[in-house]
Amino acid sequence: MRSDVYRLADSISWAISPVVVAPLVYCVVVLLGYQDDPARFSYLMVLFASSTVAPMLLIYGLKKIGKISDYNITFREQRFLPLLVLIGVNVLGYEFMQQLDAPRLLSGILLFNAVNTVLILLITLQWKISIHLFTLTSSIALLILQFGNAMLFLFVLVPLLMWSRMYLKAHNFMQTLVGGIIGFVLMFAELKWWIGL
């Protein structure tokens, strides 16, 4: 029974992981929100490269050379280098978006991904925050900004993911709660301000 529950928690953790959630949300935002923009697939490629391709290649490479012990980067001390690299990746993505003259919401995603990764990096020096919850709730914030309160139902995923991460002993309650709260509040406030400029 325990192994079945563990497999369920592990499946939830992977299904609602940053490398799944972020690109899925970006697809929805770009393809539905900007369906009349002829450059929408270019925007999507930049977002994909920054949110999925680069992180996956980076984590795979670091695991291959033994810089991290597992793909979830369980140990806080091992998170510094990948987070630092991802800051640079998002800044580069933001510059590409600027060159494409992308809508402010889309360029803002990458700009504030970089800014928020700096914050996560600083927190990580002292404490381990849940990047899974941070990504999920910041993605929900993005969907609410683009499509309105109809997206509020997605908050049902938050306690499910919290349970999963705690059951797997990847995080404690406060690490998941703080990650979730900060992720939503920051992204919502930042993007609301950015698109209002």
Short mmCIF file of all heavy atoms in Angstrom, two decimals, residues 35-81:
data_model
loop_
_atom_site.label_atom_id
_atom_site.label_comp_id
_atom_site.label_asym_id
_atom_site.label_seq_id
_atom_site.Cartn_x
_atom_site.Cartn_y
_atom_site.Cartn_z
N GLN A 35 -3.83 34.46 -30.57
CA GLN A 35 -4.02 33.63 -31.76
C GLN A 35 -4.02 34.41 -33.06
O GLN A 35 -3.81 33.84 -34.13
CB GLN A 35 -5.30 32.81 -31.63
CG GLN A 35 -6.55 33.59 -31.28
CD GLN A 35 -7.71 32.67 -30.95
OE1 GLN A 35 -7.94 31.68 -31.64
NE2 GLN A 35 -8.45 32.98 -29.90
N ASP A 36 -4.21 35.74 -32.98
CA ASP A 36 -4.18 36.55 -34.19
C ASP A 36 -2.81 37.17 -34.47
O ASP A 36 -2.63 37.86 -35.48
CB ASP A 36 -5.23 37.67 -34.09
CG ASP A 36 -6.65 37.13 -34.03
OD1 ASP A 36 -6.90 36.08 -34.66
OD2 ASP A 36 -7.50 37.73 -33.34
N ASP A 37 -1.86 36.93 -33.58
CA ASP A 37 -0.52 37.50 -33.74
C ASP A 37 0.33 36.56 -34.60
O ASP A 37 0.57 35.41 -34.22
CB ASP A 37 0.13 37.69 -32.36
CG ASP A 37 1.40 38.54 -32.43
OD1 ASP A 37 2.14 38.42 -33.43
OD2 ASP A 37 1.65 39.30 -31.48
N PRO A 38 0.78 37.01 -35.77
CA PRO A 38 1.54 36.12 -36.66
C PRO A 38 2.87 35.65 -36.07
O PRO A 38 3.44 34.65 -36.53
CB PRO A 38 1.77 36.98 -37.92
CG PRO A 38 1.56 38.39 -37.47
CD PRO A 38 0.57 38.35 -36.36
N ALA A 39 3.37 36.34 -35.06
CA ALA A 39 4.65 35.96 -34.46
C ALA A 39 4.49 35.07 -33.23
O ALA A 39 5.46 34.81 -32.52
CB ALA A 39 5.44 37.22 -34.07
N ARG A 40 3.26 34.56 -33.00
CA ARG A 40 3.00 33.82 -31.76
C ARG A 40 3.88 32.59 -31.60
O ARG A 40 4.28 32.25 -30.48
CB ARG A 40 1.52 33.45 -31.65
CG ARG A 40 1.01 32.50 -32.71
CD ARG A 40 -0.53 32.40 -32.66
NE ARG A 40 -1.06 31.48 -33.65
CZ ARG A 40 -1.22 31.77 -34.94
NH1 ARG A 40 -0.85 32.95 -35.39
NH2 ARG A 40 -1.72 30.87 -35.78
N PHE A 41 4.22 31.91 -32.70
CA PHE A 41 5.05 30.71 -32.58
C PHE A 41 6.50 31.08 -32.25
O PHE A 41 7.19 30.30 -31.60
CB PHE A 41 4.97 29.87 -33.86
CG PHE A 41 3.62 29.23 -34.05
CD1 PHE A 41 2.77 29.67 -35.04
CD2 PHE A 41 3.19 28.21 -33.21
CE1 PHE A 41 1.52 29.10 -35.21
CE2 PHE A 41 1.94 27.62 -33.36
CZ PHE A 41 1.09 28.07 -34.37
N SER A 42 6.93 32.24 -32.66
CA SER A 42 8.27 32.72 -32.28
C SER A 42 8.31 33.00 -30.78
O SER A 42 9.28 32.65 -30.10
CB SER A 42 8.63 33.99 -33.05
OG SER A 42 8.68 33.72 -34.44
N TYR A 43 7.25 33.63 -30.27
CA TYR A 43 7.18 33.88 -28.83
C TYR A 43 7.23 32.57 -28.05
O TYR A 43 7.93 32.43 -27.05
CB TYR A 43 5.87 34.60 -28.44
CG TYR A 43 5.56 35.86 -29.19
CD1 TYR A 43 4.23 36.24 -29.41
CD2 TYR A 43 6.56 36.69 -29.69
CE1 TYR A 43 3.91 37.41 -30.09
CE2 TYR A 43 6.24 37.86 -30.38
CZ TYR A 43 4.92 38.21 -30.58
OH TYR A 43 4.60 39.35 -31.27
N LEU A 44 6.47 31.61 -28.58
CA LEU A 44 6.38 30.31 -27.91
C LEU A 44 7.73 29.60 -27.90
O LEU A 44 8.11 28.97 -26.90
CB LEU A 44 5.33 29.45 -28.60
CG LEU A 44 4.71 28.30 -27.80
CD1 LEU A 44 4.17 28.78 -26.47
CD2 LEU A 44 3.61 27.63 -28.61
N MET A 45 8.46 29.69 -28.99
CA MET A 45 9.79 29.06 -29.06
C MET A 45 10.74 29.64 -28.02
O MET A 45 11.48 28.91 -27.37
CB MET A 45 10.38 29.22 -30.47
CG MET A 45 9.77 28.29 -31.49
SD MET A 45 10.45 28.58 -33.15
CE MET A 45 12.17 28.26 -32.88
N VAL A 46 10.71 30.96 -27.85
CA VAL A 46 11.57 31.61 -26.85
C VAL A 46 11.17 31.16 -25.45
O VAL A 46 12.02 30.83 -24.62
CB VAL A 46 11.50 33.14 -26.98
CG1 VAL A 46 12.31 33.80 -25.86
CG2 VAL A 46 12.02 33.59 -28.34
N LEU A 47 9.87 31.15 -25.18
CA LEU A 47 9.39 30.71 -23.86
C LEU A 47 9.73 29.26 -23.60
O LEU A 47 10.16 28.90 -22.50
CB LEU A 47 7.87 30.92 -23.76
CG LEU A 47 7.41 32.37 -23.60
CD1 LEU A 47 5.91 32.50 -23.86
CD2 LEU A 47 7.76 32.90 -22.23
N PHE A 48 9.58 28.41 -24.61
CA PHE A 48 9.91 26.99 -24.48
C PHE A 48 11.40 26.79 -24.20
O PHE A 48 11.78 26.01 -23.34
CB PHE A 48 9.52 26.23 -25.76
CG PHE A 48 8.26 25.45 -25.62
CD1 PHE A 48 7.08 26.09 -25.28
CD2 PHE A 48 8.24 24.09 -25.83
CE1 PHE A 48 5.89 25.37 -25.16
CE2 PHE A 48 7.06 23.36 -25.70
CZ PHE A 48 5.89 24.01 -25.38
N ALA A 49 12.21 27.49 -24.96
CA ALA A 49 13.66 27.36 -24.79
C ALA A 49 14.08 27.76 -23.38
O ALA A 49 14.93 27.12 -22.77
CB ALA A 49 14.39 28.22 -25.82
N SER A 50 13.45 28.81 -22.86
CA SER A 50 13.82 29.33 -21.54
C SER A 50 13.25 28.50 -20.40
O SER A 50 13.91 28.32 -19.37
CB SER A 50 13.34 30.78 -21.39
OG SER A 50 13.85 31.58 -22.42
N SER A 51 12.02 28.00 -20.57
CA SER A 51 11.34 27.34 -19.46
C SER A 51 11.49 25.83 -19.44
O SER A 51 11.32 25.20 -18.40
CB SER A 51 9.84 27.67 -19.50
OG SER A 51 9.23 27.04 -20.62
N THR A 52 11.80 25.25 -20.59
CA THR A 52 11.82 23.79 -20.67
C THR A 52 13.15 23.24 -21.19
O THR A 52 13.82 22.48 -20.51
CB THR A 52 10.68 23.28 -21.59
OG1 THR A 52 9.45 23.82 -21.12
CG2 THR A 52 10.60 21.77 -21.57
N VAL A 53 13.53 23.66 -22.38
CA VAL A 53 14.71 23.08 -23.02
C VAL A 53 15.98 23.36 -22.21
O VAL A 53 16.72 22.43 -21.85
CB VAL A 53 14.87 23.58 -24.47
CG1 VAL A 53 16.13 23.00 -25.09
CG2 VAL A 53 13.65 23.23 -25.30
N ALA A 54 16.23 24.62 -21.91
CA ALA A 54 17.44 24.99 -21.17
C ALA A 54 17.49 24.35 -19.78
O ALA A 54 18.51 23.74 -19.42
CB ALA A 54 17.57 26.51 -21.07
N PRO A 55 16.41 24.43 -18.97
CA PRO A 55 16.46 23.79 -17.65
C PRO A 55 16.68 22.28 -17.72
O PRO A 55 17.46 21.73 -16.93
CB PRO A 55 15.10 24.12 -17.04
CG PRO A 55 14.65 25.34 -17.73
CD PRO A 55 15.19 25.25 -19.12
N MET A 56 16.00 21.61 -18.67
CA MET A 56 16.15 20.15 -18.77
C MET A 56 17.57 19.76 -19.17
O MET A 56 18.16 18.83 -18.60
CB MET A 56 15.13 19.59 -19.76
CG MET A 56 13.71 19.60 -19.22
SD MET A 56 12.49 18.97 -20.40
CE MET A 56 12.87 17.22 -20.37
N LEU A 57 18.13 20.47 -20.15
CA LEU A 57 19.50 20.18 -20.58
C LEU A 57 20.49 20.47 -19.46
O LEU A 57 21.43 19.71 -19.24
CB LEU A 57 19.85 20.99 -21.82
CG LEU A 57 19.16 20.58 -23.12
CD1 LEU A 57 19.52 21.54 -24.25
CD2 LEU A 57 19.51 19.14 -23.50
N LEU A 58 20.26 21.57 -18.75
CA LEU A 58 21.14 21.95 -17.66
C LEU A 58 21.13 20.90 -16.55
O LEU A 58 22.18 20.44 -16.11
CB LEU A 58 20.71 23.31 -17.10
CG LEU A 58 21.44 23.80 -15.84
CD1 LEU A 58 22.91 24.05 -16.14
CD2 LEU A 58 20.77 25.06 -15.30
N ILE A 59 19.93 20.51 -16.13
CA ILE A 59 19.81 19.55 -15.03
C ILE A 59 20.34 18.19 -15.46
O ILE A 59 21.05 17.52 -14.69
CB ILE A 59 18.34 19.46 -14.56
CG1 ILE A 59 17.95 20.76 -13.87
CG2 ILE A 59 18.13 18.29 -13.62
CD1 ILE A 59 16.47 20.91 -13.57
N TYR A 60 20.06 17.79 -16.69
CA TYR A 60 20.60 16.51 -17.20
C TYR A 60 22.13 16.54 -17.19
O TYR A 60 22.79 15.60 -16.76
CB TYR A 60 20.08 16.25 -18.61
CG TYR A 60 20.67 15.00 -19.23
CD1 TYR A 60 20.19 13.74 -18.88
CD2 TYR A 60 21.72 15.08 -20.14
CE1 TYR A 60 20.74 12.59 -19.44
CE2 TYR A 60 22.28 13.94 -20.70
CZ TYR A 60 21.78 12.70 -20.35
OH TYR A 60 22.34 11.57 -20.89
N GLY A 61 22.69 17.65 -17.69
CA GLY A 61 24.15 17.77 -17.74
C GLY A 61 24.79 17.77 -16.37
O GLY A 61 25.81 17.10 -16.14
N LEU A 62 24.19 18.50 -15.43
CA LEU A 62 24.73 18.56 -14.06
C LEU A 62 24.64 17.21 -13.37
O LEU A 62 25.52 16.83 -12.61
CB LEU A 62 23.98 19.62 -13.25
CG LEU A 62 24.24 21.08 -13.65
CD1 LEU A 62 23.34 22.02 -12.87
CD2 LEU A 62 25.71 21.45 -13.42
N LYS A 63 23.56 16.47 -13.65
CA LYS A 63 23.42 15.12 -13.07
C LYS A 63 24.47 14.19 -13.67
O LYS A 63 25.08 13.38 -12.97
CB LYS A 63 22.01 14.59 -13.36
CG LYS A 63 21.76 13.15 -12.93
CD LYS A 63 21.57 13.05 -11.44
CE LYS A 63 20.97 11.70 -11.05
NZ LYS A 63 21.79 10.53 -11.39
N LYS A 64 24.70 14.35 -14.96
CA LYS A 64 25.65 13.49 -15.69
C LYS A 64 27.06 13.66 -15.13
O LYS A 64 27.80 12.67 -15.00
CB LYS A 64 25.63 13.86 -17.17
CG LYS A 64 26.30 12.88 -18.09
CD LYS A 64 25.40 11.73 -18.42
CE LYS A 64 26.03 10.86 -19.50
NZ LYS A 64 25.28 9.61 -19.70
N ILE A 65 27.43 14.90 -14.79
CA ILE A 65 28.80 15.14 -14.30
C ILE A 65 28.88 15.09 -12.77
O ILE A 65 29.93 15.37 -12.20
CB ILE A 65 29.37 16.48 -14.82
CG1 ILE A 65 28.53 17.66 -14.31
CG2 ILE A 65 29.43 16.48 -16.33
CD1 ILE A 65 29.10 19.01 -14.69
N GLY A 66 27.76 14.77 -12.12
CA GLY A 66 27.77 14.56 -10.67
C GLY A 66 27.68 15.82 -9.83
O GLY A 66 27.95 15.77 -8.63
N LYS A 67 27.26 16.94 -10.43
CA LYS A 67 27.12 18.18 -9.67
C LYS A 67 25.83 18.21 -8.85
O LYS A 67 25.72 18.96 -7.89
CB LYS A 67 27.16 19.39 -10.60
CG LYS A 67 28.52 19.62 -11.26
CD LYS A 67 29.54 20.04 -10.23
CE LYS A 67 30.88 20.38 -10.89
NZ LYS A 67 31.91 20.75 -9.90
N ILE A 68 24.84 17.43 -9.28
CA ILE A 68 23.61 17.28 -8.50
C ILE A 68 23.35 15.79 -8.33
O ILE A 68 23.74 14.97 -9.16
CB ILE A 68 22.41 17.97 -9.17
CG1 ILE A 68 22.17 17.43 -10.60
CG2 ILE A 68 22.59 19.48 -9.20
CD1 ILE A 68 20.91 17.96 -11.26
N SER A 69 22.67 15.44 -7.24
CA SER A 69 22.48 14.02 -6.92
C SER A 69 21.23 13.43 -7.57
O SER A 69 21.14 12.22 -7.75
CB SER A 69 22.40 13.83 -5.41
OG SER A 69 21.41 14.68 -4.86
N ASP A 70 20.25 14.27 -7.91
CA ASP A 70 19.02 13.77 -8.53
C ASP A 70 18.38 14.89 -9.35
O ASP A 70 18.74 16.06 -9.22
CB ASP A 70 18.03 13.24 -7.48
CG ASP A 70 17.63 14.32 -6.49
OD1 ASP A 70 16.64 15.01 -6.76
OD2 ASP A 70 18.31 14.47 -5.46
N TYR A 71 17.42 14.51 -10.18
CA TYR A 71 16.82 15.47 -11.11
C TYR A 71 15.93 16.51 -10.41
O TYR A 71 15.64 17.56 -10.97
CB TYR A 71 16.02 14.75 -12.19
CG TYR A 71 16.90 13.98 -13.14
CD1 TYR A 71 16.81 12.60 -13.26
CD2 TYR A 71 17.85 14.65 -13.92
CE1 TYR A 71 17.64 11.89 -14.13
CE2 TYR A 71 18.68 13.96 -14.78
CZ TYR A 71 18.57 12.58 -14.89
OH TYR A 71 19.40 11.88 -15.74
N ASN A 72 15.48 16.22 -9.18
CA ASN A 72 14.70 17.19 -8.43
C ASN A 72 15.58 18.16 -7.64
O ASN A 72 15.07 19.06 -6.98
CB ASN A 72 13.74 16.47 -7.46
CG ASN A 72 12.52 15.94 -8.17
OD1 ASN A 72 11.92 16.62 -8.99
ND2 ASN A 72 12.15 14.71 -7.87
N ILE A 73 16.90 17.94 -7.69
CA ILE A 73 17.87 18.74 -6.94
C ILE A 73 17.40 18.86 -5.48
O ILE A 73 17.13 19.94 -4.96
CB ILE A 73 18.12 20.14 -7.55
CG1 ILE A 73 18.19 20.06 -9.08
CG2 ILE A 73 19.41 20.74 -7.00
CD1 ILE A 73 18.43 21.39 -9.76
N THR A 74 17.32 17.70 -4.84
CA THR A 74 16.77 17.60 -3.49
C THR A 74 17.57 18.41 -2.48
O THR A 74 17.00 19.03 -1.57
CB THR A 74 16.72 16.12 -3.06
OG1 THR A 74 15.94 15.39 -4.02
CG2 THR A 74 16.11 15.97 -1.68
N PHE A 75 18.89 18.42 -2.63
CA PHE A 75 19.73 19.08 -1.64
C PHE A 75 19.87 20.58 -1.95
O PHE A 75 20.27 20.95 -3.05
CB PHE A 75 21.11 18.41 -1.57
CG PHE A 75 21.03 16.97 -1.13
CD1 PHE A 75 21.17 15.95 -2.05
CD2 PHE A 75 20.79 16.67 0.21
CE1 PHE A 75 21.08 14.62 -1.65
CE2 PHE A 75 20.70 15.34 0.62
CZ PHE A 75 20.83 14.31 -0.32
N ARG A 76 19.54 21.40 -0.96
CA ARG A 76 19.55 22.85 -1.11
C ARG A 76 20.89 23.36 -1.62
O ARG A 76 20.95 24.25 -2.47
CB ARG A 76 19.22 23.49 0.25
CG ARG A 76 19.32 25.01 0.26
CD ARG A 76 18.93 25.56 1.62
NE ARG A 76 19.78 25.07 2.69
CZ ARG A 76 20.95 25.60 3.02
NH1 ARG A 76 21.43 26.63 2.34
NH2 ARG A 76 21.66 25.12 4.02
N GLU A 77 21.97 22.81 -1.12
CA GLU A 77 23.32 23.28 -1.46
C GLU A 77 23.64 23.10 -2.94
O GLU A 77 24.51 23.77 -3.48
CB GLU A 77 24.37 22.55 -0.61
CG GLU A 77 24.23 22.76 0.89
CD GLU A 77 23.13 21.91 1.53
OE1 GLU A 77 22.56 21.03 0.84
OE2 GLU A 77 22.82 22.16 2.72
N GLN A 78 22.93 22.17 -3.60
CA GLN A 78 23.20 21.89 -5.02
C GLN A 78 22.38 22.79 -5.96
O GLN A 78 22.54 22.71 -7.18
CB GLN A 78 22.90 20.42 -5.32
CG GLN A 78 23.78 19.45 -4.56
CD GLN A 78 23.41 18.00 -4.83
OE1 GLN A 78 22.42 17.70 -5.50
NE2 GLN A 78 24.20 17.09 -4.29
N ARG A 79 21.53 23.64 -5.42
CA ARG A 79 20.64 24.43 -6.25
C ARG A 79 21.25 25.74 -6.73
O ARG A 79 20.73 26.36 -7.66
CB ARG A 79 19.34 24.74 -5.48
CG ARG A 79 18.50 23.50 -5.22
CD ARG A 79 17.18 23.82 -4.58
NE ARG A 79 16.30 22.66 -4.61
CZ ARG A 79 15.00 22.69 -4.38
NH1 ARG A 79 14.42 23.85 -4.10
NH2 ARG A 79 14.28 21.59 -4.43
N PHE A 80 22.33 26.18 -6.12
CA PHE A 80 22.88 27.50 -6.41
C PHE A 80 23.28 27.64 -7.89
O PHE A 80 22.84 28.58 -8.57
CB PHE A 80 24.09 27.79 -5.52
CG PHE A 80 24.63 29.18 -5.67
CD1 PHE A 80 24.09 30.24 -4.95
CD2 PHE A 80 25.67 29.45 -6.55
CE1 PHE A 80 24.57 31.53 -5.10
CE2 PHE A 80 26.16 30.73 -6.71
CZ PHE A 80 25.61 31.78 -5.98
N LEU A 81 24.10 26.73 -8.39
CA LEU A 81 24.60 26.82 -9.77
C LEU A 81 23.48 26.77 -10.80
O LEU A 81 23.41 27.64 -11.67
CB LEU A 81 25.64 25.73 -10.03
CG LEU A 81 26.21 25.70 -11.45
CD1 LEU A 81 26.90 27.00 -11.81
CD2 LEU A 81 27.18 24.51 -11.61
#
